[in-house]
Amino acid sequence: MSSKVKIPEDGEPIVIQGGVWKTPNKPIVLYIEGDGIGHDITPVAIEVINKAVEVAYGSSREIKWVRVYAGEDAEKEYGNRFPEETQALITRYRVVLKGPLETPIGGGWRSINVAIRMMLDAYANVRPVKYMPGLESPLKHPERVDMVIIRENTDDLYRGIEWSWDSKEAAKLREFLKREFGVELEDDTGIGIKPMSKFKTQRIARFAIKFAIDNKRRVVTIMHKGNIMKYTEGAFREWAYEVALREFRDYVVTEEEVNKLYGGKVPEGKILINDRIADNMFQQIITRPENYDVILAPNLNGDYISDAAGALIGDIGVLGGANVGDTGGMFEAVHGTAPKYAGKNVANPTGIIRGGELMLRFMGWVEAANLIDRAITEAVNQKKVTQDLARYMGVQPLGTREFGKALMEIMETLKGK
Ligand code: NAP
């Protein structure tokens, strides 16, 4: 197959080993435009990210973007939605900014999003949720919302080990449980298995605490339902604490230590590590969002709390996220392809720009990431927004490209500040 992709000669790969990122000054980053509104938002996101890098570092640093194909585009170019060439490049370069990709429900092709996650062994789903003044939140004090949910991506009920009530396998398992353990289940019982591994728990805990240290966060809360599911969720809690105290002793304090040794106040420069029961947390992130910072969650809890937290800021369309492992990462918007807005220059590119911001943080290009954050906040503050927000702010909307331009102009004004 002839190659449709050209790698810039002066670019170098980002090297990620054991979760440590080594970013050269001209790193090669792959991007997939995505389906639907992907064609509108991804090119704008790239311009905005480039501008942030330029404003932060002048000509000393520059991302060398390489477009790779997946989804509709790949179907046109290669006759295949996820071509071998794209897969080989992802395996080689390992950092991808990805526009949304369509996944059909109940049939059709398999999710390319999941395939990329697996190729990168991206076991951590990272989703920052931070309020921006101007958004219509259901909370009285939405400005107190600034959390990052770090969700385990590969374990738990999502491993899909389950059987329908009327299958041979479920019947066999029911019989086994009765015979071996004296556990009797009704004959109409479907069965799902909830596996939680110590290795997988500890690597996500390590990831979350390291993230908290690198990004100067205050608290890491272990979210679990260990009072009921003692040997899975309860073990998750225990194993996470074990990593915190064994590997990050100099950085963390537990709640117990804070109360016993420090008069209830977290000592300067330390990260508080605590745990909360999952159901309790759903009310607490609403009533006391300021108490939550980094949330470390197993797969299922993380899935639920991500959307609930997103709702607190009033609009999940503006959130970015990432799937990251020890050797690579894929960065994206939380939303999908919004087909009704495709090609109309009306979609909001903030989600994928936030995905890019997160990518810059992992790359260690924090100054550029901060510029993006400040520019987005300032744009909303100045009521420069796309139609999704303009319609309830009662202002004239900007188009996708015009919003991107507004962000770049704001960054110019932030130069050196
Ligand atoms: P969606 O694409 O997120 O769109 C749902 C609605 O959210 C839109 O109709 C629009 O709402 C609003 N919206 C989302 N993004 C927006 C943006 N950037 N700007 C303005 N409005 C935006 O969800 P979906 O319709 O459930 O999914 C469509 C396809 O996307 C599916 O094939 C799904 O599999 C895929 N998907 C992909 C990813 C991914 O690649 N990571 C994630 C989720 C879904 P209004 O009607 O209120 O204006």
Side-chain angles (χ1 to χ4, degrees):
M1 190 204 309
S2 71
S3 169
K4 296 186 191 299
V5 176
K6 208 172 151 352
I7 302 294
E9 279 171 15
D10 54 348
E12 283 179 71
I14 298 174
V15 178
I16 310 164
Q17 276 168 345
V20 179
W21 289 53
K22 284 198 194 115
T23 309
N25 285 337
K26 297 201 169 158
I28 292 171
V29 173
L30 308 181
Y31 74 97
I32 293 169
E33 268 201 9
D35 299 331
I37 55 169
H39 302 295
D40 303 80
I41 60 175
T42 309
V44 169
I46 286 176
E47 277 187 55
V48 169
I49 296 166
N50 285 345
K51 183 72 185 176
V53 171
E54 183 206 306
V55 171
Y57 311 113
S59 57
S60 67
R61 290 181 182 177
E62 183 191 353
I63 295 179
K64 295 285 172 180
W65 296 98
V66 173
R67 181 173 179 185
V68 294
Y69 295 82
E72 289 158 2
D73 290 350
E75 183 74 53
K76 274 190 221 131
E77 290 284 329
Y78 296 79
N80 174 352
R81 281 189 172 255
F82 194 36
E84 269 173 36
E85 179 165 43
T86 301
Q87 298 188 34
L89 289 164
I90 292 174
T91 308
R92 167 83 182 89
Y93 291 102
R94 310 202 67 82
V95 181
V96 188
L97 182 74
K98 187 189 72 63
L101 290 169
E102 184 187 344
T103 307
I105 300 169
W109 60 91
R110 287 168 67 88
S111 163
I112 299 168
N113 299 313
V114 174
I116 298 176
R117 216 157 72 191
M118 288 173 68
M119 290 171 73
L120 295 172
D121 190 20
Y123 60 82
N125 181 251
V126 183
R127 193 189 285 188
V129 179
K130 185 176 162 193
Y131 178 70
M132 291 183 288
L135 295 183
E136 203 166 79
S137 158
L139 294 187
K140 274 199 196 129
H141 289 290
E143 71 285 357
R144 297 178 184 167
V145 178
D146 181 4
M147 312 171 189
V148 182
I149 295 139
I150 298 192
R151 164 187 172 199
E152 208 288 329
N153 239 347
T154 65
D155 212 6
D156 201 353
L157 288 163
Y158 286 64
R159 287 178 78 165
I161 311 170
E162 56 170 6
W163 292 277
S164 156
W165 70 275
D166 56 354
S167 65
K168 275 195 293 209
E169 292 84 353
K172 243 180 160 171
L173 269 170
R174 287 193 300 261
E175 191 209 274
F176 176 81
L177 289 171
K178 187 171 168 189
R179 190 180 66 236
E180 296 293 323
F181 302 123
V183 174
E184 253 187 84
L185 295 174
E186 293 77 10
D187 287 346
D188 59 355
T189 305
I191 297 182
I193 289 184
K194 180 180 174 76
M196 287 232 189
S197 119
K198 182 171 183 177
F199 168 76
K200 289 184 168 182
T201 300
Q202 295 206 322
R203 76 175 174 176
I204 193 74
R206 192 172 292 121
F207 183 99
I209 299 167
K210 194 171 165 295
F211 181 92
I213 295 169
D214 290 347
N215 291 281
K216 304 194 168 41
R217 308 294 304 205
R218 303 170 289 117
V219 188
V220 175
T221 302
I222 307 162
M223 177 186 189
H224 64 89
K225 186 71 186 164
N227 53 335
I228 304 295
M229 292 168 272
K230 297 184 193 302
Y231 307 114
T232 48
E233 303 252 336
F236 185 89
R237 169 184 177 276
E238 236 170 74
W239 292 330
Y241 272 122
E242 200 179 290
V243 163
L245 297 179
R246 189 180 62 215
E247 300 179 25
F248 299 97
R249 185 59 279 195
D250 292 347
Y251 297 94
V252 299
V253 282
T254 64
E255 214 156 40
E256 205 187 339
E257 289 167 342
V258 168
N259 292 332
K260 270 196 191 148
L261 308 174
Y262 301 104
K265 230 180 141 238
V266 180
E268 190 68 27
K270 298 273 183 190
I271 293 169
L272 172 66
I273 177 140
N274 60 12
D275 71 279
R276 294 288 180 270
I277 291 178
D279 41 339
N280 175 30
M281 269 184 74
F282 277 92
Q283 52 100 0
Q284 287 209 347
I285 61 164
I286 298 171
T287 53
R288 272 181 267 157
E290 65 278 12
N291 288 359
Y292 291 92
D293 190 10
V294 173
I295 297 175
L296 162 61
N299 211 337
L300 181 63
N301 295 342
D303 196 359
Y304 293 154
I305 199 91
S306 292
D307 276 28
L312 298 181
I313 65 158
D315 188 342
I316 70 164
V318 297
L319 297 179
N323 291 285
V324 186
D326 289 338
T327 60
M330 171 181 89
F331 299 83
E332 61 184 341
V334 164
H335 63 74
T337 61
K340 70 177 182 189
Y341 294 134
K344 296 188 175 152
N345 190 40
V346 294
N348 188 346
T350 303
I352 187 159
I353 295 172
R354 287 280 190 200
E357 177 199 332
L358 197 51
M359 178 181 86
L360 292 168
R361 294 197 189 283
F362 277 91
M363 286 165 58
W365 292 13
V366 178
E367 297 79 6
N370 290 344
L371 268 172
I372 290 182
D373 180 40
R374 290 169 67 197
I376 293 174
T377 308
E378 184 52 29
V380 177
N381 195 23
Q382 293 179 11
K383 299 196 168 21
K384 291 180 175 164
V385 291
T386 44
Q387 58 84 29
D388 51 322
L389 302 185
R391 62 189 166 188
Y392 60 74
M393 287 166 85
V395 294
Q396 274 299 316
L398 297 183
T400 311
R401 286 188 292 274
E402 291 68 29
F403 175 70
K405 274 201 195 107
L407 290 181
M408 294 191 275
E409 282 163 15
I410 292 172
M411 281 184 211
E412 278 290 341
T413 67
L414 295 173
K415 232 178 200 168
K417 283 189 197 161

